[in-house]
Amino acid sequence: MLRLLFEKKGRAVWISHLDLMRLFQRAFKRAELPLTHTQGFNPRPSVSIALPLSVGVESSCELLDFTLEGAEVPCQEICRRLNEKLVEGIRVLQVYEDGRKLKDLRLLSCRVTLEYDNGVPSGAPETVSALFAQPELLVEKRTKNNGMQEQNIIPMIRSLQVEAGEKHLVLNALVYCQNPTLNPALLVSAIERYLPELTPSFSHCARLEIYDEQEQVFR
């Protein structure tokens, strides 16, 4: 099993997860890097992405696992060939062997930007910091069965700092991304629910890095 680290930025953030999987499958084929296929009635190319990314979210730390057929190809050559065939905004940063087990992936460093067309309201940084310092913060979260339930997101936040500009607030957060999982967009949902006066004109999220439980970079 091989693993690649890739980024998704610019207009490519609007590519859905399923379309991204198809995009990579086509890129491997066009780069003459034949993927192995799963066994069974409906064989599928052996590619999988560790943490599916929501549409509109950019990332510098996506992981994709894959297996190739035939003769061994050097990792740097795989990286070069794929980047020649991928679309603008999707770029392979590294290809390597012997990646860590995905069950050890625990934490995600993210940046959530809140934009205010009329400028950041007075006292907003302190008010937002105080909100996430509470012991309990209930937010509606979608379940695996596509239902909704309220969940306390505070235990899923390892750390969070607020930075302020003239027309934007930035939340720099370290959150759990597996068992349990916190979608950074829920940080915005919490502000909209509990601090409606600080609802942003626009918000966007970015994944920066992934870590294990000890906050060591995960690869």
Side-chain angles (χ1 to χ4, degrees):
M1 180 75 72
L2 294 166
R3 177 171 291 167
L4 62 82
L5 172 72
F6 71 96
E7 66 179 17
K8 183 183 181 188
K9 296 185 175 181
R11 291 184 296 176
V13 302
W14 304 111
I15 299 174
S16 71
H17 175 67
L18 289 179
D19 285 340
L20 181 64
M21 294 289 288
R22 297 186 189 102
L23 186 153
F24 265 105
Q25 290 168 15
R26 291 195 296 269
F28 274 103
K29 186 174 183 178
R30 293 175 62 200
E32 299 183 351
L33 296 167
L35 293 165
T36 62
H37 284 67
T38 59
Q39 301 299 311
F41 181 75
N42 185 25
R44 291 175 296 178
S46 55
V47 294
S48 61
I49 293 176
L51 299 173
L53 192 63
S54 300
V55 173
V57 178
E58 71 172 52
S59 177
S60 303
C61 56
E62 297 303 288
L63 298 181
L64 181 145
D65 288 344
F66 64 99
T67 307
L68 296 179
E69 290 182 341
E72 183 176 332
V73 181
C75 290
Q76 289 186 339
E77 178 69 6
I78 295 172
C79 184
R80 182 188 67 79
R81 287 199 212 175
L82 286 175
N83 281 332
E84 288 178 351
K85 304 302 180 182
L86 288 166
V87 301
E88 180 183 350
I90 306 292
R91 186 167 68 95
V92 177
L93 304 175
Q94 183 183 0
V95 177
Y96 55 96
E97 300 180 69
D98 302 321
R100 296 182 60 182
K101 294 181 179 179
L102 292 178
K103 68 180 180 64
D104 295 329
L105 173 56
R106 293 285 283 159
L107 297 164
L108 166 70
S109 172
C110 59
R111 179 180 63 243
V112 179
T113 303
L114 312 175
E115 298 183 2
Y116 296 88
D117 291 343
N118 297 321
V120 174
S122 177
E126 296 78 12
T127 304
V128 172
S129 295
L131 176 70
F132 291 106
Q134 297 183 53
E136 183 177 78
L137 205 57
L138 297 177
V139 176
E140 282 197 334
K141 186 174 184 286
R142 187 171 296 279
T143 66
K144 291 182 179 180
N145 298 322
N146 288 324
M148 300 295 291
Q149 68 176 24
E150 288 198 333
Q151 194 165 8
N152 180 16
I153 65 172
I154 293 300
M156 305 179 204
I157 303 172
R158 177 70 69 92
S159 63
L160 186 147
Q161 294 83 38
V162 182
E163 298 178 1
E166 183 178 347
K167 289 194 173 184
H168 66 269
L169 289 179
V170 177
L171 312 182
N172 294 300
L174 186 63
V175 302
Y176 283 91
C177 59
Q178 283 201 126
N179 305 316
T181 299
L182 176 65
N183 185 333
L186 291 182
L187 301 177
V188 183
S189 297
I191 292 172
E192 291 173 344
R193 178 173 183 176
Y194 293 98
L195 302 172
E197 71 279 8
L198 296 183
T199 296
S201 306
F202 180 75
S203 66
H204 53 93
C205 305
R207 290 179 177 179
L208 306 179
E209 189 55 275
I210 47 179
Y211 302 92
D212 62 17
E213 183 68 38
Q214 288 70 46
E215 299 186 22
Q216 299 298 309
V217 172
F218 183 91
R219 292 291 182 268

